[in-house]
Amino acid sequence: MERRHARYPFLDAAREAVEREGVDIVEEITDDGPGRNPVVERATERVVTAIHEGETGTPHRRDRVELVSYPVARALVSALDRPALTERYAAAEARTARERFAADADPDVVSDVVSDVELSLSAFLSAFDLAEDVKERNEGYEISVGPYLELAGGIDGEAWRLVRRRLADGTVPIEGDELDALLEQAVRRRVAEGLPLSVPEPIVAALEGPIETVERELADYSPRREIDTVVPELFPPCMRALLDRVGDGEELPPRSAFVLGSFLTSIGLSADGARALAGLDDELEPFPEAYAPPNCETMAAQGDCVNKDERCESVPTPLAYYEDALDDAGEAD
């Protein structure tokens, strides 16, 4: 099994790797007896983190555990058979894949975690039968109208409607961040495909405890509140550092500008207000109003996780940091 299989377990190559290894799911989840089982623990974490954070959590240090936890997580979701859980889980796997691919494909990122992944954009497109439908165009891309309509239909926002787009020779021009968003939808559809599965009784029995855990977490889940308070001094260190760089006259790399913009719009600023505060002018198009900022793992991979403080050690995302800081300062609601 290769690192890329563990990082992108929904790809056919990953499934084939599992088959070549002769993995038996029942054996995987029962081999360690009644005690701790790393595959089951990681699978449970994938689903629980998906419920609360919209992502799948920190990958396991062992690639085999990380990869095998994916089909076990799908079995967990299927055993519960809750449409809302299925959708949230699929969206979380897709969001995680988007963040990982952004880090893996960035030539400016040097990280031991991603150095041996070598998953190119062309390989990613081929995995979803999009290689012939997506072509580079000037500084962006163009995508055939059929796949565009299929994938953009899952994204909220007037900007994604075909009537808002230029259409030429059966293709739609898109920017790089828009391609990332469309590929995220392709992953979401792939993960959700076939769910709920028909889970054999021995697997359901072996997962009885984790199923109960996920049921409790699902019952306790309440979406994070809408944030409409802007207090820059309470921003996480990574976002304050990006703002400082802008204030010093530096032009942020596109990916850093995107995460800063997504953070600012997630806390209640309009696109125009975020542009003004961040000094982004019109350099970021489209503006990332529809996206929450990436998690701390991705920020670190991009090199934007700086000046960590004590709160950073207990939160998974910049947005969670800010929510906690607002609560402590009495600024919430």
Side-chain angles (χ1 to χ4, degrees), residues 306-320:
V306 297
N307 305 329
K308 291 177 65 173
D309 60 19
E310 185 176 351
R311 192 188 305 278
C312 291
E313 303 298 331
S314 62
V315 296
T317 68
L319 199 56

Side-chain angles (χ1 to χ4, degrees), residues 15-328:
R15 175 178 51 78
E16 291 164 3
V18 171
E19 291 174 352
R20 283 195 303 272
E21 291 277 335
V23 173
D24 184 303
I25 297 298
V26 176
E27 290 182 1
E28 288 290 335
I29 62 181
T30 57
D31 265 357
D32 289 356
R36 295 165 61 89
N37 181 301
V39 169
V40 174
E41 287 188 336
R42 176 65 183 120
T44 306
E45 180 189 31
R46 291 183 95 105
V47 180
V48 170
T49 309
I51 292 171
H52 293 291
E53 301 295 341
E55 301 177 22
T56 61
T58 304
H60 197 278
R61 58 184 177 79
R62 290 161 51 195
D63 291 340
R64 191 179 192 282
V65 170
E66 181 70 7
L67 175 54
V68 179
S69 73
Y70 174 72
V72 176
R74 285 168 60 84
L76 266 175
V77 171
S78 297
L80 284 160
D81 192 11
R82 309 279 181 80
L85 174 61
T86 299
E87 176 57 32
R88 188 153 183 82
Y89 170 71
E93 290 281 3
R95 171 67 185 276
T96 298
R98 176 177 178 169
E99 293 176 352
R100 288 178 178 178
F101 185 73
D104 296 350
D106 191 337
D108 295 327
V109 171
V110 178
S111 168
D112 292 338
V113 176
V114 300
S115 60
D116 63 347
V117 174
E118 297 180 356
L119 185 67
S120 65
L121 174 60
S122 61
F124 209 87
L125 291 171
S126 295
F128 290 94
D129 298 322
L130 291 170
E132 297 302 316
D133 292 301
V134 177
K135 305 295 182 184
E136 288 194 46
R137 174 183 180 275
N138 300 326
E139 295 183 358
Y141 300 88
E142 61 183 20
I143 180 172
S144 300
V145 66
Y148 175 83
L149 289 171
E150 185 177 3
L151 297 174
I155 307 176
D156 293 333
E158 285 289 312
W160 291 97
R161 294 181 58 194
L162 191 60
V163 294
R164 301 280 187 178
R165 299 279 167 165
R166 298 190 306 275
L167 182 63
D169 298 324
T171 65
V172 181
I174 56 174
E175 303 296 331
D177 289 323
E178 292 177 318
L179 177 58
D180 291 344
L182 293 174
L183 289 176
E184 181 178 349
Q185 290 303 306
V187 175
R188 182 186 62 78
R189 291 165 64 93
R190 172 73 61 84
V191 173
E193 194 174 69
L195 294 179
L197 306 167
S198 177
V199 185
E201 183 55 37
I203 294 179
V204 174
L207 293 176
E208 182 180 0
I211 289 171
E212 292 176 354
T213 296
V214 173
E215 278 188 311
R216 287 195 302 270
E217 296 293 337
L218 193 59
D220 292 342
Y221 169 68
S222 59
R224 288 186 179 274
R225 66 178 185 272
E226 292 295 321
I227 303 175
D228 57 4
T229 304
V230 180
V231 186
E233 58 267 29
L234 297 181
F235 286 0
C238 56
M239 296 302 166
R240 293 201 304 270
L242 290 176
L243 284 172
D244 287 345
R245 289 165 62 184
V246 171
D248 290 340
E250 179 181 344
E251 182 176 337
L252 296 179
R255 220 173 288 282
S256 297
F258 183 88
V259 299
L260 177 59
S262 65
F263 174 80
L264 294 175
T265 54
S266 292
I267 65 172
L269 284 173
S270 66
D272 288 342
R275 287 184 196 280
L277 180 59
L280 296 174
D281 300 322
D282 294 323
E283 68 194 43
L284 192 60
E285 185 64 39
F287 203 78
E289 292 180 271
Y291 306 106
N295 64 16
C296 297
E297 178 191 359
T298 300
M299 295 291 292
Q302 290 181 199
D304 286 331
C305 180
V306 297
N307 305 329
K308 291 177 65 173
D309 60 19
E310 185 176 351
R311 192 188 305 278
C312 291
E313 303 298 331
S314 62
V315 296
T317 68
L319 199 56
Y321 180 108
Y322 186 56
E323 288 186 341
D324 285 354
L326 286 173
D327 286 340
D328 287 349

